[in-house]
Amino acid sequence: ETRQAQDTDSERTVVVDAALLLEWGKPKDFCDVLVAVTALESTRIQRTVARLGLSEDEVRDRMVSQLPEEKKLKVADFVILNDANEKELEERSLDVWSRIHKT
């Protein structure tokens, strides 16, 4: 779908929501900008437990098999801290969106 959208309008912004994008390979091969959304590890664990119904140990086991968070943040062009409410996350996201489109 990403390639189809780009073929239709090469100036069109296409957003790929993929938490494991970096584990798939080299995102810079097909992404112009990489935005990471992060939170404290304890917050990420609590949210995953609530969303998937897993135990904390199961979530931690999954996290160990993924690329460490600090490496993901180093590769990102922009980092959004998701440590507040949805309104704050939306404001931070819109700020990054506007910064991306200014360049």
Side-chain angles (χ1 to χ4, degrees), residues 3 22 30 38-39 44 48 54 62-63 66 69 100 103:
R3 296 215 189 278
L22 294 175
F30 60 91
T38 191
R44 295 192 325 264
T48 304
L54 301 173
R62 286 183 178 204
M63 291 172 76
Q66 298 173 1
E69 191 76 2
I100 289 169
T103 58

Side-chain angles (χ1 to χ4, degrees), residues 42-60:
S42 59
T43 302
R44 295 192 325 264
I45 291 170
Q46 290 172 354
R47 290 174 178 169
T48 304
V49 166
R51 189 177 71 251
L52 300 178
L54 301 173
S55 70
E56 284 189 27
D57 287 339
E58 289 171 315
V59 173
R60 287 182 192 281

Side-chain angles (χ1 to χ4, degrees), residues 50-100:
R51 189 177 71 251
L52 300 178
L54 301 173
S55 70
E56 284 189 27
D57 287 339
E58 289 171 315
V59 173
R60 287 182 192 281
D61 287 344
R62 286 183 178 204
M63 291 172 76
V64 167
S65 69
Q66 298 173 1
L67 191 65
E69 191 76 2
E70 53 276 358
K71 287 189 179 183
K72 293 178 184 180
L73 301 180
K74 281 184 181 180
V75 175
D77 299 297
F78 297 93
V79 176
I80 299 172
L81 182 59
N82 183 8
D83 64 347
N85 57 44
E86 286 184 38
K87 180 68 175 159
E88 183 67 27
L89 177 61
E90 180 180 358
E91 289 174 7
R92 292 173 183 175
S93 300
L94 289 173
D95 176 59
V96 168
W97 182 264
S98 68
R99 291 168 54 200
I100 289 169

Side-chain angles (χ1 to χ4, degrees), residues 1 5 7 10 12 16 21 27 33-34 36-37 39 50-51 54 60 68 72 76 78 87 96 102:
E1 290 181 40
D7 289 344
S10 63
R12 181 178 181 184
V16 178
L21 184 68
V33 178
L34 183 62
V37 180
R51 189 177 71 251
L54 301 173
R60 287 182 192 281
K72 293 178 184 180
F78 297 93
K87 180 68 175 159
V96 168
K102 284 183 181 177

